[in-house]
Amino acid sequence: QVQLVESGGGLVQPGGSLRLSCTTSGSIFSFYAMGWYRQGPGKPRELVALIISSDGPKYADSVKGRCTISRDSAKNTMYLQMNSLKPEDTAVYYCYVQTTSWSSWGQGTQVNVSS
């Protein structure tokens, strides 16, 4: 399996932006799917954005138009650009990768949206 290291979380005011990064120890081309999930206080973990190798990116309805998922193969890094952040976006954000035989999660990065 691989190691996933997330960064970029923090405290931001409503309406602000953050860019989360997830750097993998393996080539991103080895993954069937890569994405971001989040878990807010007292809530179940939910999908935020997902890239499947044979398809385009998919987004949760709650973040469509505000978030963009992207990858940099040269850096083996995946990003989540989040704009127009809302208090309800407060959560721990997890990087996720999947191959045909296993999947792996990052340790999570905290995002707090508050004035």
Side-chain angles (χ1 to χ4, degrees):
Q1 295 193 359
V2 297
Q3 288 187 327
L4 306 174
V5 179
E6 297 131 329
S7 62
L11 174 64
V12 63
Q13 292 187 341
S17 297
L18 282 176
R19 189 178 77 159
L20 306 183
S21 299
C22 173
T23 300
T24 77
S25 60
S27 170
I28 64 173
F29 292 116
S30 64
F31 305 127
Y32 169 73
M34 300 182 69
W36 293 92
Y37 286 73
R38 68 184 180 187
Q39 187 166 15
K43 298 180 181 179
R45 192 172 295 189
E46 63 177 1
L47 173 70
V48 178
L50 187 69
I51 296 177
I52 299 176
S53 60
S54 60
D55 205 352
K58 301 184 185 299
Y59 298 94
D61 288 342
S62 59
V63 304
K64 278 182 181 177
R66 301 189 297 119
C67 291
T68 303
I69 187 172
S70 62
R71 299 180 295 183
D72 185 335
S73 59
K75 298 181 179 179
N76 288 328
T77 299
M78 175 177 62
Y79 303 98
L80 183 68
Q81 177 68 43
M82 302 189 294
N83 302 321
S84 302
L85 283 162
K86 306 175 181 180
E88 50 264 43
D89 294 318
T90 293
V92 178
Y93 284 71
Y94 297 91
C95 173
Y96 169 82
V97 299
Q98 180 184 343
T99 70
T100 55
S101 57
W102 53 263
S103 60
S104 185
W105 295 88
Q107 82 286 355
T109 185
Q110 179 72 49
V111 171
N112 289 311
V113 184
S114 174
S115 55

